[in-house]
Amino acid sequence: MQIATIVIPNLNGMEYLGPCLDSLMQQSRQDFSVILIDNGSRDGSAEFVETHFSEVIVYRFEENEGFCRAVNEGICMADTPYVILLNNDTVCEETFVEELVRAIETTGGFSCAAKMVQMCDPQKMDNAGDYYCALGWAYALGRGKPASRYDQEREIFSACAAAAIYRREIFDEIGLFDEAHFAYLEDLDVAYRARIAGYRNYYAPKAVVHHVGSATSGSVYNEFKIRHSSRNNIYLIYKNMPWLQIVLNLPFLLPGFLIKLLFFAGKGYLREYVTGLSAGIALCSRDKKVRFQWKNRKAYIRIQLELWANLFRRITDI
């Protein structure tokens, strides 16, 4: 019986897919299947996988439907207890799957994030778990820091969906990735919803993956990423925070967005950032706000305390 399904979203990933899939074929445990969801690639990468990796199931969209639509399709196709989401620009170490499965079974969490190190310099971290703070800022713990500092399993706010395992049955309760996001912050949103429902997310440092980063979007800062990130951040707050919590956080959120506005203005992306914020406000008209339930009050309190604590974690990086 297979324990997990690995879902790889792909958009013109010919440069990366060979090493990525080769690393999966060499895993210490092999009781998993692999599904490649192709988002309308035009570089022959889907055909390459069909030819050279016949054991991989390839599902194709005619056009780019976005990260969320792609991974949702893979999750719906899966019939295993766990789903592992994996970016195409990754190379997994031999015990990657084994350690992710061990971590989620040991912790009982909704998700567990892998230890992501930089492909160009494996001694440096790419991601040791995603966090969200009261300023309305999402950030990856450890990015650019020595990888040796992040070898302890810990609870995190959210797993980065570039390399993480999820308990599939919980999606039936909280819903799949919100396709309104298209891309960016969708993993934070689904983790936030899981947190509201009382589930936890963890960091699994023994599951190591080497990550190129920004392989699809093209760079750390670009128009597409800035517009979608700022849009989705507004939507994330509106959707997951009850109105009282939004009011409580306004003294942090307003300066947080102002600092970001000034930052991107300095980078020459003021228009893109403001356009994203406007689109986010428009997106809030969708009837997707998580309904407040009194039974979840303790979860909301815990989340709020973390939002404040993460202000200091952002500075101290611990």
Side-chain angles (χ1 to χ4, degrees):
M1 177 181 175
Q2 292 185 329
I3 193 71
T5 303
I6 299 178
V7 177
I8 303 175
N10 177 62
L11 175 61
N12 298 324
M14 175 67 84
E15 179 181 354
Y16 307 104
L17 281 171
C20 176
L21 293 173
D22 279 337
S23 72
L24 293 179
M25 300 305 120
Q26 299 168 20
Q27 289 295 298
S28 57
R29 65 182 298 172
Q30 287 287 320
D31 50 347
F32 61 87
S33 59
V34 182
I35 301 175
L36 182 90
I37 308 294
D38 187 72
N39 256 328
S41 295
R42 300 291 185 264
D43 67 343
S45 52
E47 292 82 359
F48 167 79
V49 174
E50 290 174 330
T51 301
H52 297 279
F53 297 92
S54 58
E55 57 271 72
V56 175
I57 300 169
V58 177
Y59 184 95
R60 302 192 195 198
F61 290 120
E62 290 299 319
E63 303 294 336
N64 182 8
E65 301 289 343
F67 177 88
C68 299
R69 178 77 177 89
V71 297
N72 282 349
E73 187 67 36
I75 293 168
C76 290
M77 292 172 66
D79 60 358
T80 51
Y82 307 116
V83 174
I84 296 173
L85 302 186
L86 185 66
N87 276 14
N88 60 5
D89 61 337
T90 57
V91 172
C92 306
E93 295 197 358
E94 186 178 358
T95 59
F96 169 76
V97 173
E98 179 181 350
E99 290 296 341
L100 279 183
V101 172
R102 182 204 59 79
I104 200 165
E105 290 185 337
T106 301
T107 62
F110 164 59
S111 70
C112 289
K115 179 179 182 178
M116 299 172 64
V117 299
Q118 296 180 11
M119 185 77 76
C120 60
D121 185 358
Q123 301 305 313
K124 291 183 179 180
M125 286 297 302
D126 183 64
N127 188 297
D130 285 343
Y131 289 84
Y132 195 62
C133 71
L135 291 170
W137 296 355
Y139 60 93
L141 192 69
R143 181 159 293 165
K145 303 294 176 60
S148 58
R149 287 176 49 183
Y150 301 91
D151 287 336
Q152 296 298 315
E153 189 170 278
R154 68 173 78 193
E155 186 175 347
I156 56 178
F157 196 91
S158 167
C160 174
I165 189 169
Y166 295 84
R167 196 176 299 273
R168 189 175 61 87
E169 64 181 3
I170 295 178
F171 285 112
D172 296 332
E173 177 183 347
I174 67 171
L176 295 169
F177 287 83
D178 187 342
E179 295 176 16
H181 282 267
F182 192 82
Y184 300 114
L185 299 183
E186 71 292 320
D187 44 9
L188 191 68
D189 170 69
V190 78
Y192 205 130
R193 283 183 276 133
R195 297 292 307 277
I196 291 172
Y199 299 105
R200 306 289 181 87
N201 305 294
Y202 296 89
Y203 168 59
K206 292 182 180 180
V208 181
V209 60
H210 300 246
H211 184 220
V212 174
S214 301
T216 297
S217 62
S219 62
V220 176
Y221 300 118
N222 58 71
E223 294 180 4
F224 176 87
K225 184 173 183 179
I226 292 168
R227 281 198 304 266
H228 279 76
S229 295
S230 57
R231 182 196 71 158
N232 292 344
N233 203 8
I234 292 286
Y235 181 49
L236 175 80
I237 293 166
Y238 161 79
K239 179 180 175 182
N240 293 291
M241 288 188 185
W243 290 112
L244 180 61
Q245 190 178 20
I246 292 176
V247 172
L248 179 65
N249 284 294
L250 275 180
F252 301 95
L253 292 172
L254 293 178
F257 278 101
L258 177 60
I259 292 169
K260 281 291 184 80
L261 186 147
L262 295 175
F263 174 81
F264 285 116
K267 294 285 185 181
Y269 290 112
L270 176 62
R271 181 177 179 180
E272 287 73 20
Y273 185 73
V274 173
T275 299
L277 294 180
S278 300
I281 293 171
L283 199 58
C284 293
S285 62
R286 298 187 177 217
D287 186 24
K288 286 196 172 184
K289 192 170 179 67
V290 176
R291 185 169 61 88
F292 175 80
Q293 298 183 63
W294 185 250
K295 68 178 182 178
N296 295 331
R297 63 192 183 280
K298 291 183 180 180
Y300 280 110
I301 293 172
R302 179 182 174 88
I303 289 169
Q304 183 57 50
L305 292 175
E306 285 192 41
L307 294 179
W308 285 330
N310 288 343
L311 291 169
F312 301 98
R313 178 176 278 118
R314 179 70 179 89
I315 299 170
T316 60
D317 196 60
I318 59 173

